[in-house]
Amino acid sequence: MVEVLRIVDRIKIPARGTVYYIKVRKDSNIHIGDIFEDMRHNHFRIKGIEMFRKASDGKNRDYVFVGLLFELTDEVEAYGNILVKGQQKINFLFCNHPLYSQKADEDYEEEYQEAALKHTCALFSYENLLLGKLSLYGKQISGLTIYRGWMMKPEMYRLFYELLEEKNIILINTPEEYERYHLLPGWYKDFENETPQSIWEKEGSLEGAFSMTKSLEGSFIVKDYVKSRKHEWYDACFIRDISDRENTSKIINNFINRQDSDLVGGIVLRRYEKLKRIGFHEISGMPISEEYRVFIFAGRILIVDDYWRQDKKVSLSDNERKWMEEKSTRVKSNFVTMDLARKEDGSLIIMEFGDGQVSGLQQIKPKDFYLRIEVM
């Protein structure tokens, strides 16, 4: 069995080192001398095992908690919260086609074919998961796995994670990590000085959102905790002057009504930043700016995409790349995206974070994306 350990906590003990508080399956086969590696391929040899009184987390009785003391083979503490033994490749799990269970969803078919060249890939029914049922197809997988597919609300992702965990399929991001970067309130405080000023309410109501506007001035964007309706820029996204109460109410109300059941969390108002414009969207007329999508894997930059311009070489200075790398080290999840934009003054600003499993490749070619994962 492929062993994937989740680090729940770390306790420093004088003269002994760090004891890693680990969640493991009851049938795990771990021994003193076993070697594990973290997401950055640093190696750790077990030199001590301690049992804890807490036998279960109360949710999954197949798991228990143990304390592991490691010899730091590469002389560094473990990065992140995952340790793996006996698995060379990460698995991938894709949504299947709604009509053909053994075929990948057509929007992910190219990714699926590319990933399958070097990784074990399985499929599942997104539609059945909406009904609370996990239906897997294709090759059997176990161990560390990356999901690539449609966005899920946090409660759906948690169900997905727990159903997969029962089959020893461990998604790269926990439900807590998924929610932290899928929803704006989860990551905002950590990057407050490097992203547009934002305020939010929790009810998703016009009254709650409108009450936040009283002390605000200038232009704002309205969105929920996950998405805006930027392709309806002038009707349900951009508020030119938030002190214009009638227009502000109309824009927010349009957004709420059009999001309908897709609205996630509450209403967010983000201060509009003047960005370096490169054109206008041919359908919606919304302004298009110089933007970049950065995939971050284990706290390191995996690949960078010029968001709007296909086959355009990404042009970033050495100082800007160092700035991006510093932001990446502050991420508290294994696989995320960071969307950046260039302001009119030439500086970069963080526009959004997202869970990497449900973030589109945009202009990145699947071949390039999976080649980068191979060398991480």
Side-chain angles (χ1 to χ4, degrees):
M1 176 186 290
V2 174
E3 296 284 0
V4 179
L5 309 182
R6 283 282 184 190
I7 300 173
V8 178
D9 200 359
R10 306 172 194 223
I11 305 168
K12 287 191 175 292
I13 300 179
R16 292 191 63 192
T18 302
V19 175
Y20 289 78
Y21 186 41
I22 303 286
K23 179 181 178 181
V24 299
R25 292 179 64 90
K26 285 184 177 179
D27 57 358
S28 290
N29 188 26
I30 57 175
H31 305 90
I32 291 176
D34 286 349
I35 296 176
F36 286 80
E37 65 177 50
D38 64 12
M39 298 296 293
R40 292 184 173 179
H41 306 296
N42 298 307
H43 294 85
F44 308 88
R45 181 181 287 107
I46 297 177
K47 65 178 183 180
I49 302 175
E50 298 180 359
M51 295 301 297
F52 284 84
R53 288 186 178 181
K54 185 179 179 182
S56 169
D57 60 5
K59 297 178 181 178
N60 192 327
R61 297 185 182 277
D62 291 332
Y63 284 80
V64 295
F65 295 88
V66 299
L68 298 182
L69 188 63
F70 290 107
E71 175 188 344
L72 308 182
T73 307
D74 296 316
E75 300 182 347
V76 294
E77 296 285 353
Y79 173 83
N81 65 358
I82 289 178
L83 294 172
V84 181
K85 172 191 172 185
Q87 184 178 18
Q88 300 302 312
K89 300 285 186 181
I90 296 174
N91 305 306
F92 284 87
L93 184 57
F94 292 85
C95 302
N96 68 2
H97 192 287
L99 301 178
Y100 308 102
S101 62
Q102 300 292 335
K103 182 178 174 61
D105 186 290
E106 58 186 1
D107 287 305
Y108 285 89
E109 176 65 26
E110 188 178 358
E111 271 199 56
Y112 174 78
Q113 295 294 339
E114 197 62 51
L117 293 176
K118 296 288 182 69
H119 301 266
T120 303
C121 296
L123 301 169
F124 80 101
S125 170
Y126 188 92
E127 290 70 27
N128 285 354
L129 187 63
L130 286 169
L131 302 174
K133 177 183 177 183
L134 178 65
S135 301
L136 296 172
Y137 303 94
K139 294 185 177 180
Q140 290 190 344
I141 59 174
S142 66
L144 189 59
T145 300
I146 292 177
Y147 162 55
R148 289 292 296 156
W150 304 115
M151 288 183 179
M152 299 178 181
K153 291 185 177 181
E155 56 269 24
M156 182 176 174
Y157 183 84
R158 180 173 294 277
L159 173 65
F160 187 43
Y161 184 93
E162 291 174 352
L163 291 174
L164 289 170
E165 187 179 46
E166 291 174 5
K167 297 181 178 295
N168 196 35
I169 301 170
I170 312 300
L171 291 180
I172 193 167
N173 293 337
T174 63
E176 293 76 19
E177 290 165 338
Y178 178 86
E179 183 170 346
R180 181 179 299 134
Y181 291 97
H182 188 56
L183 307 185
L184 181 142
W187 59 262
Y188 179 79
K189 186 175 181 181
D190 290 339
F191 297 90
E192 185 173 2
N193 296 325
E194 296 128 331
T195 196
Q197 174 198 1
S198 302
I199 56 175
W200 56 86
E201 55 87 53
K202 300 178 181 180
E203 304 302 324
S205 69
L206 175 61
E207 294 77 11
F210 198 70
S211 68
M212 298 190 298
T213 69
K214 295 178 182 178
S215 61
L216 301 178
E217 296 179 353
S219 301
F220 280 77
I221 300 296
V222 60
K223 63 189 296 293
D224 64 19
Y225 286 7
V226 179
K227 299 187 73 174
S228 68
R229 300 188 70 87
K230 59 185 178 183
H231 292 295
E232 298 174 36
W233 184 253
Y234 295 105
D235 293 327
C237 183
F238 177 57
I239 301 172
R240 186 180 301 277
D241 180 3
I242 205 159
S243 66
D244 181 344
R245 303 306 184 198
E246 182 178 352
N247 183 64
T248 295
S249 178
K250 183 187 76 172
I251 298 297
I252 295 174
N253 195 50
N254 284 348
F255 173 80
I256 292 172
N257 288 336
R258 296 177 189 183
Q259 282 294 89
D260 197 24
S261 62
D262 290 330
L263 194 148
V264 179
I267 302 301
V268 178
L269 295 174
R270 305 205 78 195
R271 185 171 295 282
Y272 173 71
E273 291 284 346
K274 292 184 178 180
L275 305 177
K276 182 181 178 182
R277 191 170 296 169
I278 60 174
F280 294 88
H281 194 275
E282 59 184 9
I283 298 175
S284 68
M286 77 171 191
I288 296 175
S289 307
E290 182 180 330
E291 297 180 55
Y292 300 95
R293 169 155 291 179
V294 183
F295 278 87
I296 300 170
F297 185 91
R300 294 172 174 169
I301 294 174
L302 177 72
I303 195 167
V304 181
D305 165 54
D306 193 320
Y307 198 97
W308 291 108
R309 297 177 288 193
Q310 192 168 14
D311 298 323
K312 178 79 173 178
K313 185 177 180 181
V314 174
S315 180
L316 295 163
S317 70
D318 290 343
N319 284 338
E320 287 172 337
R321 289 189 177 273
K322 288 179 182 177
W323 181 87
M324 290 160 53
E325 289 167 359
E326 189 276 328
K327 304 297 172 281
S328 300
T329 64
R330 289 160 51 191
V331 168
K332 301 170 185 176
S333 179
N334 296 307
F335 188 42
V336 304
T337 51
M338 176 174 66
D339 288 346
L340 309 174
R342 191 175 299 284
K343 297 168 65 174
E344 280 189 344
D345 65 9
S347 63
L348 294 176
I349 188 170
I350 297 172
M351 301 304 290
E352 297 286 351
F353 276 93
D355 188 272
Q357 299 173 104
V358 297
S359 297
L361 296 188
Q362 295 304 120
Q363 312 297 340
I364 300 172
K365 293 179 173 62
K367 179 179 180 180
D368 295 335
F369 181 75
Y370 288 96
L371 278 175
R372 288 299 303 160
I373 287 180
E374 281 295 299
V375 301
M376 289 300 282

